[in-house]
Amino acid sequence: MKRIRTLLCRRKPDIEEKSIRLGLALGGGGARGLAHIPLLEVLDSMGIRPCCIAGTSIGAVLGAMYASGVKGSEIRSLVQETVVGKSSSPGELLKDIKRLVQFMDIDFLGPGIFKGDSVMKYFYDAIHTDRFENLEIPLKVVATDFWASEQTVLSSGNLLKAVKASMGLPGLFTPVKYGERILIDGGGVNPVPFDVLDDCDLIVAVDVLGNAESESSKPPGAVKAVLEMFDIMQRSIVKTKLEISQPDIYIKPDIRNIGMLEFHRAQEIYSSTEASCRELAEKLREYYPEIPLSP
């Protein structure tokens, strides 16, 4: 049995951290990526801290926040302050929508509908750093090199540009110039980047692409069709990757009929992860039998 030791880190968990080197891969999926948050809270509650995190798109955003030392519950609070709640009154709803429009930084004349600069400012305010080297946990951000049509893994230098590139869904967010490369959403090449993690004893991958179910025979609108087509492509990539190799623990929350931009449905997304949270805790306990059962 592997010995237990305490890892050096600024954030001290309630339970002594273990010698098993856990790599965590957080996949893309737009608003469905909020499902990562309850699963991060499971890690916090068990006192398990990854040795490395890899993230694509929304997984890169949340992965960077977590790698900076922000706990899962704190990320949940930040989301709650930003998204539109179902219980909002008409006046509050209008105010929230105006705030979200400003937050998304709309630019109809540019190469993308959203520039993303305001998102990055909000992101910076949450983590207080713009460098990979300042993170508490090493992070790998996956983006797509537009012209080379290949994966780019970023792990040093400008963190904000890397995260912005990884979430750069074509047509929605402005592509990012990173050195000599033009980068877009990492979901185009690696939606759940568990295969970029190395030097780990245990790899946990979280796939939040969810499932689409037909609600009627009516054809989808143009925007919905484009976004769902991107999702279909990502699901196909993940399926092919899993046929080649698999992570030690693969978690896929049962998220159904949640659109890529429907962040206001956060509570529904959280609820859809209940079974996955139990599954993750049970599987982790096989590797960390020392961790006591929750009361």
Side-chain angles (χ1 to χ4, degrees):
M1 179 179 290
K2 296 187 177 182
R3 63 189 178 87
I4 301 174
R5 67 181 176 85
T6 302
L7 299 176
L8 295 176
C9 59
R10 283 182 280 171
R11 186 181 69 191
K12 296 181 179 179
D14 296 329
I15 301 172
E16 189 179 32
E17 294 178 5
K18 314 302 183 297
S19 60
I20 295 177
R21 293 175 58 79
L22 184 151
L24 178 64
L26 302 178
R32 297 180 295 264
L34 298 180
H36 288 312
I37 297 174
L39 295 164
L40 294 176
E41 291 174 332
V42 169
L43 294 180
D44 290 336
S45 68
M46 298 181 75
I48 297 174
R49 188 168 173 78
C51 71
C52 184
I53 298 173
T56 294
S57 198
I58 186 70
V61 176
L62 298 179
M65 294 178 74
Y66 196 67
S68 75
V70 182
K71 294 182 178 180
S73 59
E74 295 169 337
I75 298 175
R76 185 190 288 253
S77 296
L78 287 171
V79 170
Q80 187 61 35
E81 292 174 3
T82 306
V83 301
V84 179
K86 277 187 172 182
S87 60
S88 299
S89 67
E92 292 173 331
L93 185 62
L94 180 60
K95 181 179 180 181
D96 285 340
I97 289 175
K98 289 180 178 178
R99 178 161 51 86
L100 280 174
V101 168
Q102 293 175 341
F103 174 74
M104 295 306 291
D105 206 9
I106 294 179
D107 179 21
F108 289 109
L109 299 179
I113 295 176
F114 307 124
K115 289 189 290 186
D117 293 340
S118 295
V119 177
M120 286 299 100
K121 181 182 183 306
Y122 182 85
F123 175 67
Y124 175 80
D125 290 343
I127 66 173
H128 305 297
T129 183
D130 61 356
R131 306 290 299 178
F132 277 94
E133 290 78 9
N134 294 333
L135 296 173
E136 295 183 10
I137 300 174
L139 174 70
K140 295 184 177 183
V141 170
V142 175
T144 301
D145 185 318
F146 183 81
W147 294 115
S149 302
E150 62 185 19
Q151 172 177 281
T152 296
V153 180
L154 306 168
S155 59
S156 63
N158 193 313
L159 174 64
L160 299 186
K161 287 187 71 173
V163 171
K164 183 179 179 182
S166 184
M167 65 178 230
L169 185 65
L172 285 181
F173 285 95
T174 303
V176 173
K177 183 173 175 57
Y178 200 99
E180 297 301 314
R181 294 167 291 179
I182 300 298
L183 303 182
I184 59 174
D185 199 299
V189 288
N190 200 344
V192 187
F194 60 85
D195 55 337
V196 306
L197 292 167
D198 48 25
D199 194 24
C200 299
D201 303 311
L202 171 65
I203 294 178
V204 177
V206 184
D207 178 352
V208 295
L209 288 171
N211 301 289
E213 294 180 340
S214 176
E215 297 179 344
S216 68
S217 58
K218 181 180 179 181
V223 174
K224 183 176 178 62
V226 170
L227 294 178
E228 183 56 32
M229 185 62 203
F230 188 66
D231 280 343
I232 291 171
M233 179 190 70
Q234 291 186 96
R235 293 183 188 114
S236 178
I237 292 173
V238 174
K239 181 180 179 181
T240 300
K241 285 180 55 184
L242 290 174
E243 291 173 352
I244 299 171
S245 65
Q246 295 188 357
D248 300 289
I249 298 176
Y250 173 70
I251 301 293
K252 185 174 181 177
D254 187 22
I255 308 170
R256 297 181 181 274
N257 291 323
I258 299 288
M260 189 177 291
L261 302 178
E262 295 183 316
F263 287 91
H264 63 283
R265 299 175 66 183
Q267 293 306 320
E268 293 178 60
I269 297 169
Y270 296 150
S271 296
S272 71
T273 68
E274 291 178 0
S276 293
C277 287
R278 291 192 296 270
E279 179 186 3
L280 178 61
E282 290 170 2
K283 289 185 175 180
L284 285 174
R285 218 165 259 117
E286 295 176 9
Y287 295 89
Y288 301 94
E290 313 83 7
I291 297 177
L293 296 172
S294 301

